């Protein structure tokens, strides 16, 4: 009888492994770090995908004006601030690296900062500052909120920084995915470490003594445990994708709408608030040129062009212009160039 009980206990014990892993993570008081979060494949995949996508979208400056009683929007060419954002920040990071770093901090920590190095009203450089080096001291007034930014003991005012914050309630501190979803990420990280431990120990299984043909050791089947771990891991991965707005069944259009566009709008608001002079805010605004991200999807792009042509919103030469193709009508080419020149005068 004792042998039977011993045998039964060892067969059933492995089936609790998956639940024990999750329970130990939930009961832990530890807070997962950024480095640990990025060790989770689903998190690293989402962060890299979103950062890479945002970094390749150029920021442009536009001007709204009224001509002949009609409101018109034109691009402001060769503005130095756009060059800093897209090409050379005049700091150690180039424009692409700058956007990646800012979006990564925004997603994971909820706060992204860059010092606006100005000489009078001219922005001379944008200097990315790791959010770990930022200390916020704010007042206690719940209505007239104010705060200072400290970097290694040096105090700055908010208008001296470009600030991009996620899920903020006071405008001084945001909440990132690590803080918002700490329990889920702890479970994902603990499961990852458990699997790593299984591999490092050779994946040895528990078992029982079989006395049918002499005393022999027989491994207990871990199939149910492995299936449960895989099921839990898939569920966790899907939850992580949902957090980042990345569709579990890949669709580029859905990805742009749910994962990219909200971030672009947040960044645009921050740029308009922190990089424009008060007098410029009446007519100028920064915006991402999202045409660049649909160029990779030729079907979506051409369907959009067809809709615009059918509804007379665009002409064929305007489409060819956007596709960097030669004009079919030389007259339209000259008129279009003239219109652009006049709009900037």
């Amino acid at each position: 009888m004792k042998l039977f009980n011993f045998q039964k206990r060892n067969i059933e014990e492995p089936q609790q492994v998956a639940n024990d892993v999750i329970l130990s993570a939930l009961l832990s008081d530890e807070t997962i770090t950024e480095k640990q979060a990025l060790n989770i494949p689903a998190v690293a995949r989402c962060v890299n995908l979103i950062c890479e996508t945002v970094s390749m979208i150029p920021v442009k400056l536009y001007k709204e004006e009224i001509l002949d009683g009609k409101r018109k929007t034109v691009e402001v060419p060769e503005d130095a601030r756009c060059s800093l954002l897209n090409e050379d920040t005049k700091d150690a990071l180039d424009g692409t690296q700058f956007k990646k770093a800012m979006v990564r901090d925004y997603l994971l920590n909820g706060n992204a900062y860059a010092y606006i190095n100005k000489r009078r009203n001219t922005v001379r450089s944008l200097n990315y500052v790791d959010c770990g080096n930022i200390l916020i001291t704010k007042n206690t007034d719940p209505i007239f909120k104010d705060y200072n930014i400290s970097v290694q003991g040096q105090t700055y005012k908010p208008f001296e920084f470009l600030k991009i914050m996620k899920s903020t309630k006071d405008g001084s501190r945001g909440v990132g995915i690590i803080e918002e979803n700490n329990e889920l990420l702890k479970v994902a990280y603990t499961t990852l470490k458990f699997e790593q431990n299984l591999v490092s120990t050779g994946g040895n299984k528990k078992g029982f003594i079989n006395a049918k043909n002499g005393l022999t050791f027989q491994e207990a089947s871990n199939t149910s445990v492995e299936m449960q771990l895989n099921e839990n891991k898939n569920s966790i991965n899907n939850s992580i994708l949902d957090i980042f707005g990345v569709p579990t069944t890949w669709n580029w259009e859905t990805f742009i709408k749910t994962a990219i566009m909200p971030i672009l709008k947040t960044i645009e608001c921050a740029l308009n608030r922190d990089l424009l002079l008060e007098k410029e805010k009446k007519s100028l605004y920064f915006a991402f040129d999202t045409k660049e991200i649909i160029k990779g999807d030729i079907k979506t792009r051409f369907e959009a062009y067809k809709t615009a042509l059918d509804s007379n919103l665009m002409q064929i030469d305007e489409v060819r212009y956007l596709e960097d193709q030669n004009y079919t009508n030389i007259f339209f080419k000259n008129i279009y160039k003239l219109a652009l020149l006049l709009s900037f005068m």
Side-chain angles (χ1 to χ4, degrees), residues 317 326-338:
D317 278 326
N326 292 330
Y327 293 93
T328 59
N329 189 325
I330 192 63
F331 174 76
F332 177 84
K333 175 180 179 180
N334 294 331
I335 291 296
Y336 195 71
K337 284 185 175 181
L338 179 60

Side-chain angles (χ1 to χ4, degrees), residues 206-218:
K206 297 181 181 181
F208 55 91
I209 300 297
N210 188 346
K212 181 180 293 186
N213 298 311
L215 294 177
T216 59
F217 176 79
Q218 182 174 338

Side-chain angles (χ1 to χ4, degrees), residues 4 15 19 22 33 40 54 81 141 147 151 161 164 198 244-245 250 271 302 304 340 344:
F4 173 78
Q15 298 179 4
N19 291 331
I22 296 175
T33 66
I40 302 170
V54 173
R81 289 164 292 190
D141 193 325
Y147 62 96
V151 182
F161 275 79
I164 306 172
L198 284 181
F244 284 95
W250 179 252
L271 295 176
F302 277 48
L340 287 176
F344 296 143

